[in-house]
Amino acid sequence: MKKTGLFKIIMFILLGMVVATWIFSAGYFNETEVVAVDMYNVGFFDFFALIIGAFEFEYFIQILILLVSIGALYGVLNKTGKYRAWVEKIAKNMKGQELVFLIVVAFVITALTAMFDYEFSLFIFFPLLISIILAMGYDKVTAALTTFGSVLIGTIGNIKGDTVTSTIIELLDTEITTNMLYFKLALAFLSFIALIFFLSKAKRTRKTAENLENEDRFIGEKVSTKYSAAPIIVAFALMLVILVLACTNWSDTFGIKFFENLHNSITTAEIKLPYFHIAPDGIDAGTQKVAIFSKILGTFSAFGKWHFIEMAILCLFTSVILGLIYRIKGIFQAMADGAKKMLAPAFMVLLAYTVIYFAGSQMFYPTIAAIILSISSKFSVILSTIVVGLGSTLFVDILYVANYLIPQISAISGATPTLVTLLIQGVYGVTMFVAPTSALLVLALTYLEIPYKEWIKRTWKLILVLLAIVVGILLIAKFI
């Protein structure tokens, strides 16, 4: 496996955070100021205990399970004999229209992220899209920008997503105003245009079958088979439909209660059935009303409340079904082989999330943020950008970034809900393009085996343009 350099960088960041715990006092924000508490010095054994503790955190483990399950799905697809043929056929049919394909893919991913926030669940389709982009002759950085980069563009200009917008709005105890919406649309539009401009500069090269196999871990076997690619196409179409229906928070985000009501009707529907129980005190038999679907299906979430685990189960179920349709010998071995290929990217994502665990448990960052923000008595776009950028690097996930930074920044004089909203989602999104702790970037670079230095070398101009767009929009919003 080609080294990305991310493991060393993340470990150095963790060690740097250990040093920070010996310099800055821990603290927490209490309505108007940061209250200092005792120093939370991290010692030798504490360092390893924190890493192990992060790997035991349920939310992080769910991400690992999802990523490995996606690997299992593509492990089966690789054995069908039709997956690679289908990928190459799409690439061939798009000859002369390759840029159009990149723009359409980038737009769809950006729009889905801006509206719905599917997070890592959207990665289910990325290996397929990446395979097509690589088969068209583009390089791995272009493939990463088109897919993972589009997710971050959607985050920068997030309009109504459950994870980004809803979290920020709830913490600010406000609503999306007309001005806020216009600024969000401007962020989304300008950031997307910047991405497309850079994608339009991407060059293509002729690749041999060997080149593709070296670049793409899930390109699959190229063997003749009598089976059609139709089951694979149907499987991806159904997974996309289920993703939209099941992972969109219809109730809280859009006020649609249909799926919750349907779920309640299904789980509470009762029929009268005979029963026969053997208990320690004897045999009991008779009839009783049973919530039949709840008993058969077990505990399950309504559409709109699905998350990583449910989507992981969907991937595994689809893997088995496709394995049976294509009569693959050793379905579970194929799933295991695919899962192994995703272990390294999944491990690195979890390592990135350990940074959150360090920052959140040691509580030194509120002190650092307070020192930076105290340089000005009023809201400063530049100082706030620095605080959110550094905070995003340490807290990694938007949920943690928002919860730790919004109360402290929104208490500054002149920090309106519109400014704070644009600041958090805009600066966070740009930071995730460059931060070596960015879980999405770590997944992209590790999956595609792109060295971190190469990524920075190829994308630094785009990152500066995106930062300029965000700061420019913030300055306009501040003075309007």
Side-chain angles (χ1 to χ4, degrees):
M1 177 180 288
K2 192 174 182 179
K3 293 183 178 179
T4 63
L6 286 170
F7 180 83
K8 289 182 179 179
I9 295 173
I10 294 174
M11 292 305 296
F12 275 121
I13 289 174
L14 291 175
L15 290 172
M17 294 170 72
V18 170
V19 174
T21 65
W22 289 80
I23 299 174
F24 299 99
S25 67
Y28 64 92
F29 186 76
N30 183 20
E31 297 185 358
T32 59
E33 62 180 357
V34 173
V35 179
V37 295
D38 293 338
M39 299 286 285
Y40 287 179
N41 305 134
V42 175
F44 178 81
F45 289 102
D46 300 324
F47 177 79
F48 295 100
L50 284 168
I51 292 178
I52 294 172
F55 276 73
E56 294 176 346
F57 202 60
E58 182 181 356
Y59 176 67
F60 305 159
I61 295 300
Q62 287 183 8
I63 296 173
L64 181 144
I65 293 172
L66 173 62
L67 295 178
V68 171
S69 299
I70 293 172
L73 170 62
Y74 281 89
V76 171
L77 289 171
N78 286 179
K79 296 293 183 179
T80 61
K82 273 296 178 181
Y83 174 72
R84 179 168 179 172
W86 181 46
V87 166
E88 293 179 343
K89 183 178 180 180
I90 294 174
K92 184 178 179 181
N93 289 341
M94 292 303 298
K95 188 174 182 180
Q97 301 294 322
E98 291 87 357
L99 180 58
V100 174
F101 181 84
L102 296 187
I103 293 173
V104 171
V105 169
F107 176 78
V108 171
I109 295 173
T110 299
L112 287 174
T113 305
M115 289 299 296
F116 304 118
D117 286 340
Y118 294 134
E119 301 174 288
F120 286 98
S121 295
L122 204 56
F123 179 65
I124 292 172
F125 307 96
F126 282 10
L128 167 64
L129 295 172
I130 288 170
S131 293
I132 296 171
I133 293 169
L134 293 177
M136 288 177 172
Y138 289 108
D139 64 8
K140 292 187 286 187
V141 173
T142 302
L145 275 174
T146 306
T147 50
F148 295 95
S150 295
V151 173
L152 296 177
I153 295 297
T155 301
I156 292 172
N158 195 272
I159 298 168
K160 201 175 176 62
D162 180 53
T163 303
V164 179
T165 295
S166 294
T167 298
I168 295 173
I169 293 300
E170 182 179 349
L171 285 168
L172 290 171
D173 192 22
T174 187
E175 295 180 355
I176 300 177
T177 62
T178 302
N179 281 345
M180 188 188 296
L181 179 59
Y182 286 155
F183 283 123
K184 281 171 169 280
L185 289 171
L187 271 179
F189 176 75
L190 294 175
S191 299
F192 180 73
I193 293 300
L195 175 65
I196 295 306
F197 177 79
F198 277 84
L199 289 179
S200 68
K201 300 296 182 181
K203 296 180 180 180
R204 296 184 300 109
T205 58
R206 292 182 61 86
K207 296 180 181 179
T208 64
E210 185 177 354
N211 292 146
L212 281 176
E213 289 166 2
N214 290 333
E215 288 183 342
D216 189 353
R217 69 179 67 211
F218 286 121
I219 187 59
E221 297 179 350
K222 191 172 184 178
V223 294
S224 59
T225 174
K226 63 180 180 179
Y227 298 107
S228 167
I232 299 176
I233 299 172
V234 171
F236 275 111
L238 288 175
M239 284 193 293
L240 179 59
V241 171
I242 292 173
L243 173 70
V244 173
L245 292 179
C247 295
T248 302
N249 194 337
W250 299 106
S251 177
D252 298 336
T253 306
F254 299 98
I256 299 173
K257 305 290 185 180
F258 172 78
F259 293 108
E260 286 190 2
N261 294 336
L262 179 63
H263 176 266
N264 184 61
S265 298
I266 292 173
T267 55
T268 58
E270 294 181 335
I271 61 174
K272 200 170 186 179
L273 291 174
Y275 68 89
F276 181 83
H277 299 158
I278 300 178
D281 58 349
I283 297 175
D284 184 23
T287 60
Q288 64 179 4
K289 286 186 176 181
V290 177
I292 185 65
F293 295 110
S294 181
K295 289 289 186 181
I296 293 174
L297 297 175
T299 303
F300 66 101
S301 300
F303 271 15
K305 302 294 184 182
W306 281 30
H307 209 45
F308 299 142
I309 290 300
E310 289 86 354
M311 295 309 294
I313 293 171
L314 176 63
C315 288
L316 296 175
F317 180 75
T318 304
S319 303
V320 174
I321 296 299
L322 287 175
L324 293 174
I325 291 174
Y326 284 97
R327 300 180 182 275
I328 295 174
K329 295 181 179 179
I331 296 174
F332 295 108
Q333 183 60 51
M335 292 172 66
D337 292 340
K340 288 177 185 177
K341 291 183 179 181
M342 280 302 299
L343 280 177
F347 170 81
M348 286 303 299
V349 169
L350 257 68
L351 185 62
Y353 270 108
T354 61
V355 177
I356 300 176
Y357 203 71
F358 269 66
S361 60
Q362 303 312 302
M363 298 172 61
F364 61 85
Y365 190 68
T367 301
I368 297 175
I371 294 172
I372 297 173
L373 294 173
S374 66
I375 296 174
S376 174
S377 60
K378 295 184 178 181
F379 179 84
S380 165
V381 170
I382 302 302
L383 294 177
S384 298
T385 297
I386 293 171
V387 167
V388 175
L390 181 56
S392 298
T393 302
L394 297 179
F395 293 115
V396 181
D397 191 292
I398 187 65
L399 292 173
Y400 295 90
V401 173
N403 277 280
Y404 278 103
L405 298 184
I406 284 180
Q408 193 167 353
I409 292 176
S410 61
I412 302 172
S413 175
T416 65
T418 296
L419 281 172
V420 176
T421 298
L422 299 173
L423 172 74
I424 294 295
Q425 69 180 58
V427 175
Y428 169 80
V430 175
T431 303
M432 293 301 99
F433 260 101
V434 65
T437 57
S438 166
L440 202 65
L441 180 60
V442 167
L443 177 58
L445 300 190
T446 310
Y447 177 83
L448 284 161
E449 298 181 348
I450 301 172
Y452 180 70
K453 289 183 180 179
E454 181 183 346
W455 172 260
I456 297 300
K457 182 180 179 180
R458 291 281 304 278
T459 63
W460 68 270
K461 292 180 181 179
L462 172 60
I463 294 166
L464 287 181
V465 170
L466 293 174
L467 181 60
I469 290 171
V470 172
V471 172
I473 294 291
L474 281 169
L475 289 172
I476 294 172
K478 181 180 179 181
F479 294 108
I480 288 183

